[in-house]
Amino acid sequence: MRKKLWIKLILLLIIPGLLFTVSCAKKTVTSDTGVTQPIEDEDLKAKDAAEKARQEELARQRAIEEERLREEAARREAARNQFLTQDIYFEFDSFAILPEAQDMLSNKAEWLQNNPDVTVTIEGHCDERGTIEYNLALGDRRAESAKAFLVNLGIAESRLNTISYGEERPMDPGNNEDAWAKNRRAHFVIN
Amino acid sequence: MAAMKVYLKTVICLIIVMHLLRGVGLCRDDYDYIDITNPFLRKIPIAIPVFKKMSLDHATAKLSKETSDLLSTTLEFTGYFKIMDRDAFLLDPQNAAASSAVKFHNWTSIGAELLVTGGVAIKDNRLEIELRVYDTFKEHMLVGKRYKAGLVDKRKIIRRFCSELIYILTGDRGIFDSKIAYVSTNSGHKEIYICEFDGYNPKRLTNHKSITLSPAWSSDGKWLAYTSYLKGKPDLYIKHLTENRRSVIAKEGINISPAWVPGEFRLTATLSFSGDPEIYLLTGTGKMIKRLTKKRGIDVSPTWSPDGKKMAFVSKRSGSPQIYIKDIDSGRVNRLTFEGHYNTQPSWSPKGDRIVYSGMKQGRSDIYVIASDGQNLVQLTHNEGNNESASWSPDGSLIVFSSTREGPSRIYVMTAFGTDQRRLIAFPGEQTEPQWSPRLSTGH
């Protein structure tokens, strides 16, 4: 009794399946006839053109995207360069953050927020006037001032190292006010 | 009973006074030639003829000229003497008979107050030298010594004799067995070098190929502390000068401006690991003992009174860098300098009475000296480049410092009163931060 039921079930599944395959085969045969060939050519031409247009559009979009990426990379690069090259300056024998330096530090904080994986070292420098040990301490205070400002803007303290070079690494070796002004600085380095 | 007490007190006072007088009297008798505390010291005219050759070979002739010249320059270095021109001498002791007595009038008549005579011989490839100093007016010998040594030790002998003479004239052994540590860029990097007191025989101590700064001698002369960027940041190194022993203090921030506590294996330095540069007391192996400054703002460049009871240092607590003195027992801090807006780099004199420092006016640094009670401020350098990093000779008679008066920074020496300024060290590159050692006794 059970066996019969099984056979019926299998037949039920197989027969429609066979019918289906037969009908499919028939369709393939008709579409393979030579009569339809010219129409197909026309069709292909149109398809080719469309494809070409589509490809061109894709290429155009790719170019736009590439351009956009390039621009973005350039912007990122520029932002990174600005972060690295733009030093903040101090007055003689002072580690107070000047208004101009505050703007620069805000930009730097923004960049650090956009680049959360980066840790940096802030170098404190002095001009050659004054004495070596005092300037090492002053450079330390300058780097610490810049760091404290960034921490107040929400940058994690653990991302900011400081080092003082005192008067040991002048940007400009001259001994005039122009050179000194350039040398009293905090400089940023990406670790 | 009360009368008895008063009587006793009087007797005790009298005894003390008598002892004091005797002390002064002793000084007068023995050292009436040179009073090194006198700023208007008159230089003593001294005649140093070429020493007599006791053998007639060429080597002896050369040696006698060399040693007599060396004695002249070594004595001249002290600033106490006017070395007389040999052309002015009325007679050449070379021609005098060995046994003949000194004819003092030949020397007094040309104004020589002291006369050095010597005899030089080379025997068995060893140097034999006899040296005497006479007071020409009193017509008696102040000191006479005979030395035998290897030929290479002639400098040592001359220095030992100078030391004897200076002891007789001043009551102090002088500077002849001291050295000077300094920083030079000669190799392309700032490294520490050590030379003898007169600039002779400079040797490089460090080879860190980095930035190395601020040498500081321990008071036994065996250790040198300094700052170096060897590991990329300013750390403090404490190095034994003859043995292979070294400690490093490498806390976060700066580890700078070492100064040893006199007579102890302890030192002070500025560390900024707390976020603020403060002065700490450390063991000689760099272990923390305690924090000595407690004001926010820069505290740097400690220097100790010779008795170790007070520490002078630089602080920005009042707005501009000024020198302060902390009494260690009471903890009280007093400001020492009030003139000018930038006074740094104090160095306490070995006699304890004065502090020398760098003061800046109109962007130019000069050396000043001030009594440790804040009186008697005197400017020692004037209108000649930047003058910085003053350090006392161990007898307190001379000051070594750096100056840019000839362009690049070089090392110069002057007397404690600012006279006789002369260049000591000039090598390619720049030389800065000289530190005079204590007396490095090699046995007398």
Side-chain angles (χ1 to χ4, degrees):
Chain A
M1 192 61 191
R2 262 219 165 154
K3 232 180 189 175
K4 263 188 181 169
L5 197 79
W6 269 112
I7 291 164
K8 271 182 189 167
L9 252 172
I10 289 165
L11 282 175
L12 252 167
L13 285 167
I14 291 172
I15 293 164
L18 282 171
L19 283 171
F20 189 68
T21 45
V22 171
S23 65
C24 275
K26 261 185 188 164
K27 260 185 193 165
T28 347
V29 173
T30 46
S31 68
D32 250 5
T33 53
V35 190
T36 53
Q37 200 63 34
I39 305 159
E40 284 267 315
D41 275 357
E42 287 292 306
D43 232 26
L44 269 177
K45 261 183 198 164
K47 260 190 185 164
D48 269 4
E51 179 62 23
K52 210 176 154 195
R54 203 176 64 84
Q55 287 296 337
E56 274 170 5
E57 175 60 18
L58 265 176
R60 203 176 63 81
Q61 276 181 14
R62 243 197 324 270
I64 289 170
E65 179 64 10
E66 268 167 20
E67 179 63 21
R68 196 183 66 77
L69 284 174
R70 241 199 321 275
E71 273 172 13
E72 202 182 292
R75 253 200 314 278
R76 261 207 307 274
E77 185 64 24
R80 187 187 148 93
N81 274 343
Q82 189 183 36
F83 180 85
L84 287 174
T85 56
Q86 200 169 59
D87 293 345
I88 67 163
Y89 298 105
F90 296 85
E91 289 181 325
F92 175 69
D93 188 29
S94 166
F95 46 85
I97 303 290
L98 299 167
E100 202 182 273
Q102 291 181 12
D103 294 343
M104 289 184 190
L105 284 171
S106 302
N107 292 339
K108 289 193 197 296
E110 200 185 318
W111 186 86
L112 284 166
Q113 258 140 11
N114 294 336
N115 296 274
D117 299 335
V118 168
T119 64
V120 298
T121 296
I122 309 170
E123 299 176 358
H125 296 269
C126 304
D127 70 37
E128 60 172 356
R129 289 172 302 164
T131 49
I132 286 168
E133 290 177 347
Y134 181 79
N135 277 338
L136 280 173
L138 183 62
D140 185 65
R141 291 298 333 197
R142 283 178 177 163
E144 287 291 331
S145 289
K147 176 179 169 178
F149 197 92
L150 292 175
V151 169
N152 282 339
L153 292 175
I155 307 302
E157 214 178 324
S158 58
R159 296 174 62 196
L160 306 167
N161 301 317
T162 60
I163 184 169
S164 171
Y165 283 105
E167 58 178 273
E168 303 302 321
R169 296 251 172 104
M171 187 80 180
D172 184 331
N175 33 23
N176 49 63
E177 185 45 51
D178 272 3
W180 294 332
K182 279 181 219 156
N183 293 336
R184 296 188 297 265
R185 69 202 194 276
H187 178 71
F188 293 75
V189 179
I190 292 172
N191 294 341
Chain B
M1 194 63 194
M4 184 71 175
K5 257 188 182 169
V6 171
Y7 173 75
L8 264 178
K9 268 187 189 166
T10 317
V11 169
I12 290 167
C13 279
L14 264 175
I15 290 171
I16 291 170
V17 168
M18 276 165 67
H19 270 277
L20 283 175
L21 282 176
R22 222 166 64 107
V24 172
L26 258 180
C27 289
R28 286 251 170 84
D29 283 353
D30 288 3
Y31 318 127
D32 63 350
Y33 293 92
I34 299 167
D35 174 11
I36 63 170
T37 59
N38 176 8
F40 306 107
L41 193 69
R42 188 185 66 91
K43 286 177 192 265
I44 301 176
I46 186 168
I48 308 174
V50 175
F51 302 150
K52 196 173 168 66
K53 300 181 284 284
M54 308 306 277
S55 45
L56 287 171
D57 53 295
H58 179 69
T60 307
K62 188 164 167 274
L63 197 62
S64 99
K65 178 80 168 63
E66 277 173 5
T67 46
S68 44
D69 287 350
L70 186 59
L71 185 79
S72 298
T73 53
T74 307
L75 287 179
E76 190 174 26
F77 189 88
T78 62
Y80 298 144
F81 303 99
K82 178 177 173 291
I83 310 296
M84 298 189 69
D85 189 348
R86 284 183 186 139
D87 291 341
F89 298 166
L90 298 179
L91 93 175
D92 183 358
Q94 212 64 248
N95 304 323
S99 57
S100 71
V102 178
K103 305 222 168 28
F104 289 108
H105 64 89
N106 281 331
W107 301 101
T108 52
S109 63
I110 60 162
E113 293 173 27
L114 294 176
L115 168 69
V116 182
T117 64
V120 175
I122 300 175
K123 270 186 197 157
D124 306 329
N125 228 3
R126 282 171 72 77
L127 165 65
E128 286 189 30
I129 184 164
E130 192 185 320
L131 296 165
R132 294 172 180 195
V133 179
Y134 296 95
D135 179 326
T136 54
F137 283 87
K138 289 184 185 159
E139 301 196 357
H140 76 95
M141 189 173 80
L142 290 171
V143 57
K145 295 274 170 185
R146 185 179 289 134
Y147 303 92
K148 284 182 191 175
L151 287 171
V152 289
D153 289 328
K154 60 176 187 257
R155 290 187 72 87
K156 217 184 253 175
I157 289 172
I158 294 299
R159 282 178 183 186
R160 189 161 295 185
F161 184 71
C162 287
S163 187
E164 297 285 348
L165 176 61
I166 293 298
Y167 181 66
I168 283 164
L169 299 178
T170 68
D172 193 294
R173 289 270 171 203
I175 54 167
F176 304 109
D177 41 20
S178 64
K179 293 183 176 181
I180 293 168
Y182 60 97
V183 173
S184 177
T185 59
N186 195 225
S187 68
H189 298 279
K190 278 196 169 180
E191 303 276 9
I192 292 171
Y193 291 69
I194 295 176
C195 64
E196 291 175 23
F197 74 95
D198 54 358
Y200 181 76
N201 198 17
K203 284 187 177 143
R204 191 171 69 197
L205 176 75
T206 62
N207 190 18
H208 293 334
K209 298 186 170 67
S210 177
I211 305 167
T212 302
L213 303 165
S214 309
W217 296 90
S218 64
S219 57
D220 62 2
K222 289 182 176 148
W223 296 83
L224 202 76
Y226 57 87
T227 296
S228 180
Y229 284 68
L230 176 60
K231 299 267 164 65
K233 60 187 261 306
D235 297 326
L236 205 62
Y237 292 79
I238 305 169
K239 183 180 164 55
H240 196 283
L241 286 168
T242 51
E243 295 162 24
N244 190 18
R245 291 158 73 189
R246 191 171 87 169
S247 304
V248 186
I249 302 160
K251 293 186 186 298
E252 216 177 298
I254 50 172
N255 302 268
I256 64 160
S257 82
W260 293 83
V261 183
E264 293 181 33
F265 189 54
R266 300 202 290 180
L267 72 167
T268 40
T270 291
L271 314 176
S272 72
F273 63 88
S274 72
D276 194 42
E278 300 282 356
I279 297 169
Y280 295 83
L281 181 64
L282 307 160
T283 67
T285 52
K287 298 213 168 42
M288 179 71 63
I289 299 172
K290 64 176 171 183
R291 181 169 158 176
L292 294 180
T293 56
K294 294 179 175 81
K295 284 265 167 143
R296 198 147 175 86
I298 295 168
D299 292 307
V300 72
S301 299
T303 177
W304 287 83
S305 63
D307 61 9
K309 289 184 172 159
K310 288 175 179 165
M311 178 186 80
F313 62 100
V314 174
S315 179
K316 199 174 161 58
R317 60 190 62 187
S318 65
S320 65
Q322 297 292 346
I323 295 163
Y324 294 77
I325 294 178
K326 183 186 172 90
D327 182 277
I328 297 301
D329 284 344
S330 70
R332 212 174 47 239
V333 174
N334 289 316
R335 182 167 162 180
L336 178 72
T337 53
F338 291 90
E339 282 258 323
H341 301 292
Y342 195 106
N343 297 314
T344 61
Q345 282 181 329
S347 173
W348 210 310
S349 76
K351 300 255 188 284
D353 55 342
R354 302 199 289 167
I355 290 170
V356 68
Y357 65 91
S358 309
M360 184 159 51
K361 279 180 186 164
Q362 278 99 47
R364 208 187 270 276
S365 288
D366 275 302
I367 310 286
Y368 295 80
V369 68
I370 190 168
S372 51
D373 61 2
Q375 303 293 305
N376 301 325
L377 175 64
V378 180
Q379 184 174 348
L380 299 182
T381 59
H382 302 265
N383 309 319
E384 283 192 294
N386 286 308
N387 302 278
E388 294 176 356
S389 292
S391 169
W392 298 88
S393 65
D395 65 351
S397 69
L398 297 170
I399 292 170
V400 66
F401 61 104
S402 70
S403 177
T404 59
R405 60 186 61 183
E406 291 169 287
S409 181
R410 306 273 196 234
I411 309 296
Y412 295 75
V413 173
M414 61 184 165
T415 69
F417 308 104
T419 59
D420 294 287
Q421 299 191 8
R422 59 224 126 112
R423 198 178 66 199
L424 185 68
I425 297 163
F427 292 113
E430 298 207 276
Q431 286 81 47
T432 49
E433 293 191 290
Q435 275 289 312
W436 214 314
S437 79
R439 293 189 60 230
L440 306 168
S441 47
T442 45
H444 268 280

